[in-house]
Amino acid sequence: MKPDPTSGTSVPITIESHLGSGTERRLADDVLDGLTHPFKELQPKHFYDARGSELFERICKLPEYYPTRTELAILEANAAEIARTTGAEELVELGSGAATKARLLLGAMRDAGNLRRYVPVDVSESALVGAAEELFGEFGGLEVHGVVADFERHLGEIPAAAGGRLVAFLGGTIGNFQPGSRRRLLRDISGLLGPGDHLLLGTDLVKDPEVIEAAYDDGAGVTAQFNLNVLHVINRELHADFDPGDFDHVAFFDREREWIEMRLRARRDCRVSIADLDVVIDFDAGEEVRTEISCKFTHARLASDLASAGLELRGWFEDPDGLFAVTLAGPIGAEPRT
Ligand SMILES: C[S@@+](CC[C@H](N)C(=O)[O-])C[C@H]1O[C@@H](n2cnc3c(N)ncnc32)[C@H](O)[C@@H]1O
C-alpha cells in the first residue's frame, strides 16, 4: 500500500486474475485440437509459465536476438515524443512480461507531468506480479492495476480508462498471430481506445532471413529450451508423458509468408499419453509440431492491418538499420488529444 497524495488514502497495487480453473480447461482444449490436426500445432501463449517467462527474458539478452535491444533503443530515443504527442495519462500494456520497456514509457509520461496509472496485462502471473512490484517501488505515487488474463479473451476485464490512454503492445507479439486472427485482435484492441487514445505497436520488420533465423535459433540453445518448455507445461498441467529429449527445436523463415516458424520435430517414432485428456498421440520420426509463428512486417502490411481495425498510423519510429519498428496509431478520423 502507498499513500495517495490526492486523497490522503492508500492506493494499493491491485492484481486481478481472470485465469482460474478454466485456464487448464483452455489449455486442454487447445492441446486436444492442436495435436489431433493432420498438421499438429500448439499455441505460443502456452510457453509462458514461470520458467517460460524466465527463459524468454534470457532470450531477450542473447546476442542473436536483436528485437529486444533494438526496440528498447527506439523507445529510449522516442519515448519523450510519444508521451508528449499522446498526452497519455495511463499506460495499458498487453503481454507486459518483465515490463522493461514500460519503464521507459512511464518515465517519459511522468516527465511530461501526465502519469496516473499503469495497467499491465499478461497470462504469466509470476512475470506480472514481479514487474508490478518493481515499478510500484520505482515510480512512487504510481497506481498499478495488474490484470492476469488472456488478451485474446479478456480485454473486457481491463478497468475503465483513468484518463488519456496509451495501449502498448510491444515485443513483436502481434506477429504471433496468423493474418486473420491478427486483424481480429487489432479490432478488439481498438475497442479499448477512445477518440483521443493511442496504440503503440512494436513489430519486427522483414529483413535478411539469416539474421531472423539466427534470432530464433541461438548458439547457446536458450530458444530451444523455451520451445521445448511447452512440453513441460503440458506434462505438468495435463499429466502427459512427453519426453522432451524426443524432440528437436526447429526454426526457419517462410519466405513466402514472411514469418518465422518454430517447430518441434520428433527424433524418433514416439507415443505420448495425455492422461487428463484420455488420449494417446503418435508422432512419426521427423514429424513436426508448429509451436509459434512470428510474422515480420513492412510499412504497407502494418498500415493495412491497422486500417482493417479502424486505426490509422500516426507515427513510425524505426532504428537506423531498419530492423524493428514502433508505430503509433489512433482511431481513424478521431482528433489526437494534443
Ligand atoms: C514475446 S513476449 C514480450 C514481452 C514484453 N512485452 C517485451 O516486449 O519484451 C510475450 C509476452 O506476452 C505474454 N502473452 C502471450 N500470449 C498472451 C495472451 N494470449 N494473453 C496475455 N499475455 C500473453 C507472455 O506471457 C509474454 O510475457
Side-chain angles (χ1 to χ4, degrees), residues 43-49 53 56-57 60 65 68 71 93-101 121-124 127 147 149-153 169-173 176-177 226 292:
Q43 293 181 7
K45 68 181 162 202
H46 299 307
F47 289 134
Y48 293 96
D49 62 351
S53 294
F56 182 73
E57 284 313 301
C60 290
Y65 197 75
T68 303
E71 190 180 32
E93 188 179 20
L94 305 177
S96 46
T100 313
K101 295 157 192 166
V121 180
D122 206 289
V123 275
S124 174
V147 184
D150 181 340
F151 52 59
E152 289 182 81
R153 295 186 290 140
F169 195 19
L170 301 172
T173 306
N176 293 151
F177 294 85
F226 176 72
E292 177 173 304

Side-chain angles (χ1 to χ4, degrees), residues 86-107:
T86 61
E89 297 162 290
E90 166 176 280
L91 178 65
V92 174
E93 188 179 20
L94 305 177
S96 46
T100 313
K101 295 157 192 166
R103 241 179 214 99
L104 293 172
L105 293 167
L106 293 170

Side-chain angles (χ1 to χ4, degrees), residues 42-82:
L42 295 166
Q43 293 181 7
K45 68 181 162 202
H46 299 307
F47 289 134
Y48 293 96
D49 62 351
R51 178 168 180 265
S53 294
E54 278 168 32
L55 286 166
F56 182 73
E57 284 313 301
R58 282 175 60 196
I59 290 172
C60 290
K61 297 186 179 83
L62 292 168
E64 297 94 334
Y65 197 75
Y66 63 84
T68 303
R69 62 175 175 272
T70 309
E71 190 180 32
L72 268 172
I74 295 170
L75 290 173
E76 264 161 23
N78 298 290
E81 184 182 339
I82 291 164

Side-chain angles (χ1 to χ4, degrees), residues 1-5 11-13 79 89 91 93 98-118 131-144:
M1 303 278 277
K2 66 183 170 61
D4 175 355
V11 179
I13 302 182
E89 297 162 290
L91 178 65
E93 188 179 20
T100 313
K101 295 157 192 166
R103 241 179 214 99
L104 293 172
L105 293 167
L106 293 170
M109 289 162 67
R110 177 185 57 192
D111 294 348
N114 295 327
L115 178 60
R116 284 178 60 181
R117 185 166 72 167
Y118 176 48
E133 286 176 355
E134 273 181 31
L135 290 172
F136 178 75
E138 276 175 49
F139 290 83
L142 172 65
E143 185 182 344
V144 180

Side-chain angles (χ1 to χ4, degrees), residues 194-260:
D197 296 339
H198 290 83
L199 170 65
L200 190 70
L201 194 59
T203 48
D204 199 7
L205 299 177
V206 172
K207 64 183 73 62
D208 178 354
E210 277 188 26
V211 174
I212 301 177
E213 283 175 349
Y216 291 82
D217 195 9
D218 63 279
V222 184
T223 315
Q225 286 182 57
F226 176 72
N227 194 5
L228 288 161
N229 192 52
V230 73
L231 303 183
H232 292 286
V233 170
I234 297 171
N235 280 350
R236 186 186 61 235
E237 300 296 330
L238 302 178
H239 303 100
D241 61 359
F242 275 105
D243 177 352
D246 282 343
F247 291 84
D248 283 323
H249 166 69
V250 176
F252 67 92
F253 187 64
D254 179 330
R255 285 159 173 74
E256 192 186 330
R257 297 181 180 80
E258 295 186 312
W259 67 46
I260 197 91

Side-chain angles (χ1 to χ4, degrees), residues 21-51:
S21 51
T23 307
E24 293 86 64
R25 213 165 52 234
R26 195 76 187 194
L27 172 70
D29 294 344
D30 286 350
V31 169
L32 194 52
D33 271 355
L35 295 187
T36 53
H37 280 164
F39 175 65
K40 298 182 172 73
E41 179 157 36
L42 295 166
Q43 293 181 7
K45 68 181 162 202
H46 299 307
F47 289 134
Y48 293 96
D49 62 351
R51 178 168 180 265

